[in-house]
Amino acid sequence: MRPLDGIKVLELGQLIAGPFATKILAEFGAEVIKIEPPLSGDPLRKWRLLHEGTSVWWASQSRNKKSVTVNLRSPEGQGIIRRLVKEVDILVENFRPGALESWGLDEDTLKSINPALIMVRISGYGQTGPYRDRPGFGVVGEAMAGFRHLSGEPGRPPVRVGISIGDSLAALHAVIGSLMALRHREVQQGGGQVVDVALYESVFNMMESLVAEYAHFGEVRQPAGSSLPGITPSNAYLCADGKYALIAGNGDSIFKRLMLLIGRPDMAEDPAFAHNDGRVAEAEYIDGVIAQWAAQHSLDEVLQALHEHRVPAGRVYDVADIFKDPHYQAREMLIQGELEDGTAVTLPGILPKLSKTPGGVERKAPTLGQDTDEVLLSLGFDEATLHQLRAQGVI
């Protein structure tokens, strides 16, 4: 048994935010029916590196899902969705606000069909407010939330993280919201509701002390490269072999151990450095002392010494390092999967890790429309109708 066994999810999203949310739900037992446009499918099928014409990303993003092709812009296709809505617990969509409404799939209509339906709506700016109708991607949400302003080196252009972090954070908030709504429905018998997730708000929720510092001090936090302003020491330090060690010696007792390790007992015992606020006042000096020590040793030597003295530290991994790391293997964070044609491929493991009801992979990512007939036949359509709908380009 998995925690979401028996829960049915209808996915109307594409690309990242909505599909990543349903991926997580599917890994923990939910039956996810993914709706894709006939012929073209989800654009993610063609993103980044392709194997036999299909993205290898697709193999992890869509595992455990069923693919059903439906033209949402056709009245017949919209009728199929309304019939599916009767059968599902959660609908996840990440179209621009107003799209569902234009297709006759508005909240009131769907609630009249299924009052217990939980609608998870992911968009750039949310379902209300002056920006609701603007197209919004994760990158724009990252900028609006203040995240991009803090990314990069002082005085240089902001940089992106290298992944679609805004979309992924929105997906996580969508999962959290859907599970809360499920609990409300099932335990408090409160019926269905709408979970309104905005990309920019999902990133904004990660911005820690940004708001309170500005409100109270008028402080506009600035980019700081690899350091962590206001928390000292926490930075990347260049080692003798040209590699960087990430060292987080910002706990009071940890700082003492770090200073003793690098031969600075005077700093370890200095009352001015006993707590973070005192260290922050001399952050540049402290960083310089640590950098001088790191520059005399290779990365492996630095990390071995730090681990022995219980100082949090690590190397900067690329994906090749991840594949070689025994901890990733031990934690089953790299698992074997399959591409559409059956070719073996290594994929990311399942998170979060539950001791009694862990997630898993029951089926590989589907080919386009692989499950259309099965799902529509289960709704009461007959073979002749499916043939007609297919001829009309509806499915």
Side-chain angles (χ1 to χ4, degrees), residues 6 17 24 37 89 103 112 156 189 192 207 241 244-245 247 257 289 294 314 336 349 393:
I24 296 171
D89 300 281
W103 299 330
S112 70
R156 296 183 62 82
Q189 299 182 338
M207 297 308 291
D241 53 4
Y244 283 90
I247 303 176
R257 295 198 296 273
V289 170
Q336 292 306 301

Side-chain angles (χ1 to χ4, degrees), residues 114 265 338:
N114 182 355
E338 289 184 16

Side-chain angles (χ1 to χ4, degrees), residues 142-160:
E142 293 163 27
M144 185 176 175
F147 179 78
R148 286 294 183 98
H149 176 72
L150 297 181
S151 301
E153 300 286 341
R156 296 183 62 82
V159 298
R160 70 173 299 148

